[in-house]
Amino acid sequence: MKKVILVLLTILMVCSCGGRKESGAKAPTRVKTQLVSPALSDDAQTYVGIVEEREGTAVSFTGMGVVKRVLVNEGQAVGRGQLIAEMDDTQARNLLTGAEAQMNQANDALERYKMLHDNGSLPEVQWVEIQSKVAQAKSQLEVAKKNLADCRLTAPVSGIIGKKLVGAGETALPSQAVVTILDISSVKVKVSIPEAEISGITPSTPSTINVEAAQKQVRGGKIEKGIQADALTHTYEVRINVQNGDRKLLPGMVASVKFIADGSQSIAGKVLPVTAVQKSADGSMFVWTVDKDSTTHRSKVNIGATMGNHVAVTDGIDIGQRVVTEGYQKLSEGTKVIY
């Protein structure tokens, strides 16, 4: 009996230890991170901008009718020619049926009168009248087919559904937008520039754009300058073209825009906060980088000049890579983190 009790106690202790081991799995370490950004000049000007679509298209029916169904949702990607919505086509089908009957009747009359015309027993005036009726019937048939086809609304361009303005059961009016389709394969970042500073910006002025909502930082492209100032704020609108192949930049997102003035002195490399760079025992510099699987790795770097509380990293990391800026004291190779 004592042996049985001893065996049971041993099993319970093993199970208990196993349970404690499993429940004691280390939770991810919370840290703060930052994406590696391109180096900026010490006199870079910073502005707040708004992301806009490259082009927006309002899609509407050409006639009036009750919308039967809308097949897309806001934010959905659509291709050119894809069905967007359908209108109740009962009346259009009835008109098409009538037009087809008239076409058949006109063709039948044409065949019968043709025999008389060929025999010379039909006046030319009456033959011309028969041909005119056939032409009218054909025209009405084409119009009826077009009206039926117009009950189906298809996308004229590829893009993303921006807004859905009409729902099923509502009456759509001619030229009333049912949805808007936005082309965001590239976007524009709109910035208001004070009139005293607009002369320093040219179509090729370098810029860096940071969109926190998309966790993305990019170089700006060609700049489009407005020529008319706002009467109240005395600012000019400029739009910076930005490539958006991954479609992470969405219309309405707030962007931080930095223009680098011509002739400014810039630090080389990529910029990080000074506190993100650590010094190892052998004197080399390193940072903690975060991989896509949220694990940290010690990455050796070479640093360049400092600018305020930022330092240039000339080698060891890439632009867009995520680096730990706070909480690195608790890290080791392969530590799982959340940020």
Side-chain angles (χ1 to χ4, degrees):
M1 185 67 180
K2 291 182 178 180
K3 290 183 178 180
V4 174
I5 295 175
L6 183 59
V7 171
L8 291 174
L9 289 174
T10 303
I11 294 173
L12 289 173
M13 290 177 64
V14 171
C15 292
S16 175
C17 291
R20 286 196 298 270
K21 184 176 180 180
E22 184 177 350
S23 62
K26 189 174 181 181
T29 302
R30 181 171 293 277
V31 296
K32 287 188 177 181
T33 65
Q34 179 177 312
L35 296 177
V36 179
S37 62
L40 299 174
S41 64
D42 53 2
D43 57 351
Q45 296 295 318
T46 305
Y47 304 90
V48 175
I50 298 293
V51 178
E52 294 181 338
E53 67 276 8
R54 186 176 73 89
E55 188 175 358
T57 303
V59 185
S60 60
F61 289 105
T62 57
M64 185 177 71
V66 177
V67 177
K68 185 164 60 176
R69 57 176 181 163
V70 180
L71 303 173
V72 295
N73 296 310
E74 293 183 0
Q76 178 180 338
V78 295
R80 183 176 181 179
Q82 182 175 334
L83 183 62
I84 299 293
E86 288 183 316
M87 185 184 291
D88 185 0
D89 59 1
T90 303
Q91 183 178 359
R93 288 189 179 278
N94 292 337
L95 291 175
L96 178 60
T97 300
E100 289 174 340
Q102 289 182 355
M103 187 75 251
N104 292 333
Q105 183 180 11
N107 285 331
D108 182 65
L110 181 66
E111 290 180 5
R112 288 187 287 107
Y113 280 103
K114 186 176 186 301
M115 296 177 60
L116 297 176
H117 178 266
D118 292 343
N119 294 331
S121 56
L122 183 71
E124 191 65 26
V125 174
Q126 193 172 355
W127 174 242
V128 172
E129 183 180 350
I130 294 299
Q131 289 180 316
S132 298
K133 288 183 178 179
V134 171
Q136 290 175 1
K138 184 177 180 180
S139 176
Q140 291 176 358
L141 179 61
E142 293 300 322
V143 171
K145 288 181 178 179
K146 178 69 166 52
N147 289 338
L148 180 60
D150 288 345
C151 292
R152 292 168 54 87
L153 184 63
T154 58
V157 295
S158 299
I160 303 293
I161 299 298
K163 289 185 178 181
K164 186 167 67 172
L165 304 171
V166 176
E170 296 181 327
T171 300
L173 300 175
S175 301
Q176 176 189 7
V178 176
V179 298
T180 57
I181 300 178
L182 309 180
D183 181 359
I184 59 171
S185 56
S186 64
V187 295
K188 296 180 180 181
V189 178
K190 182 179 72 173
V191 185
S192 295
I193 306 297
E195 61 181 11
E197 302 169 14
I198 191 66
S199 61
I201 296 177
T202 68
S204 58
T205 297
S207 62
T208 299
I209 300 166
N210 181 46
V211 182
E212 189 65 28
Q215 295 187 348
K216 187 174 181 180
Q217 190 165 42
V218 295
R219 286 284 192 179
K222 185 178 180 181
I223 295 175
E224 302 171 6
K225 290 176 60 175
I227 60 173
Q228 187 171 359
D230 185 278
L232 296 177
T233 61
H234 297 283
T235 58
Y236 290 83
E237 288 187 353
V238 301
R239 287 175 170 82
I240 310 166
N241 289 276
V242 178
Q243 291 301 314
N244 189 33
D246 57 6
R247 288 173 168 75
K248 287 186 177 180
L249 301 181
L250 301 176
M253 286 184 172
V254 178
S256 175
V257 180
K258 292 186 179 181
F259 292 102
I260 304 173
D262 293 338
S264 63
Q265 299 298 319
S266 62
I267 60 176
K270 303 99 181 177
V271 169
L272 282 178
V274 174
T275 55
V277 182
Q278 307 300 310
K279 190 173 185 179
S280 60
D282 61 1
S284 61
M285 312 302 289
F286 70 93
V287 297
W288 290 103
T289 57
V290 182
D291 278 355
K292 292 182 179 179
D293 60 357
S294 297
T295 58
T296 56
H297 301 281
R298 184 167 169 160
S299 301
K300 186 177 179 180
V301 296
N302 295 321
I303 63 171
T306 58
M307 183 178 67
N309 59 351
H310 286 76
V311 62
V313 180
T314 58
D315 188 31
I317 53 175
D318 297 321
I319 292 174
Q321 200 168 357
R322 188 169 294 280
V323 172
V324 176
T325 57
E326 292 185 27
Y328 46 79
Q329 299 88 345
K330 301 170 285 184
L331 301 180
S332 58
E333 187 70 19
T335 299
K336 201 82 171 179
V337 296
I338 54 176
Y339 50 87

